[in-house]
Amino acid sequence: MTTDVPTTAAGAHLLADHPALDMLNTGGLAYDGQRVERWRDDADVLEWLGKSGMLSEGAGGVARGELVDAARALRETVRTLVQARKQGQWADPELLNRFLRDGLTYDRLAWPDDGAPEIRQESLAQGAARVLQPLAAAAAALLAGGDFNLVRRCEHPECVYWFYDRTKSHRRRWCSMALCGNRFKVARHRQRAVGQPSA
């Protein structure tokens, strides 16, 4: 079976309703069983962070290849923790804690001459840790405070996307109707039309 799932950051779908789950959807097994990697280089990670609203200030100054390596490591760490949490099992949070510690931020009061005071977040972190800190913090918040009855995987048998079901009825089944819901319904209709049992 061929896939229409794009394999670049530009084609990454932001449909999980949580940035940490959208991060998980940037890599994994595609519909045809082959591995998809949307974070192929630092530019892909920066583009995805920008599209997802998770790009922090200070994205410059990262050694070439450092950001993509760190982002993939964060993603796989979070994937392990989310899967364990979903299954009601324990997993070691130390790797995520290392991302949080390395990207530690603090509040600073800024008071421009021509404006009102405001609180700005500052960081002593450098490189990839600084860039990925907001994403690591979002993942920690999900793991600690998310309702894992609402953290789900798409029900399409060939989809690996995760999402957070924020619908009013909490009956969301698909990563999106356009990607999987309609496709599943069309396939089921075709099976019925030819007399095959539905999936």
Side-chain angles (χ1 to χ4, degrees), residues 93-140:
E94 180 51 33
L95 288 175
L96 179 58
N97 285 336
R98 194 174 307 152
F99 275 98
L100 294 169
R101 181 178 55 247
D102 291 348
L104 191 62
T105 61
Y106 62 94
D107 290 339
R108 181 178 70 85
L109 183 67
W111 198 337
D113 293 339
D114 58 349
E118 62 183 28
I119 295 177
R120 295 183 183 163
Q121 254 197 354
E122 297 287 338
S123 175
L124 298 175
Q126 300 297 319
R130 182 177 184 137
V131 177
L132 296 173
Q133 193 284 331
L135 194 52

Side-chain angles (χ1 to χ4, degrees), residues 30 38 45 50 64 69 73 82 89 96 105 112 114 136 148 159 163 179:
R38 290 185 178 83
V45 176
R64 184 178 179 150
D69 290 345
V82 165
Q89 299 174 345
L96 179 58
T105 61
D114 58 349
F148 269 70
C159 185
F163 61 86
L179 286 178

Side-chain angles (χ1 to χ4, degrees), residues 9-88:
H13 302 108
L14 299 174
L15 44 77
D17 287 326
H18 195 284
L21 298 175
D22 277 323
M23 172 180 59
L24 298 186
N25 297 341
T26 64
L29 295 178
Y31 297 110
D32 58 2
Q34 294 187 17
R35 182 134 185 96
V36 170
E37 182 55 72
R38 290 185 178 83
W39 288 348
R40 297 173 299 167
D41 55 31
D42 293 345
D44 284 345
V45 176
L46 288 170
E47 182 179 355
W48 184 89
L49 289 168
K51 286 178 70 172
S52 66
M54 299 302 290
L55 185 61
S56 64
E57 293 182 24
V62 180
R64 184 178 179 150
E66 177 189 358
L67 182 58
V68 69
D69 290 345
R72 288 177 183 172
L74 175 61
R75 180 185 65 202
E76 297 314 312
T77 295
V78 172
R79 184 185 315 281
T80 298
L81 296 171
V82 165
Q83 288 172 337
R85 178 86 159 80
K86 183 66 181 165
Q87 295 168 359

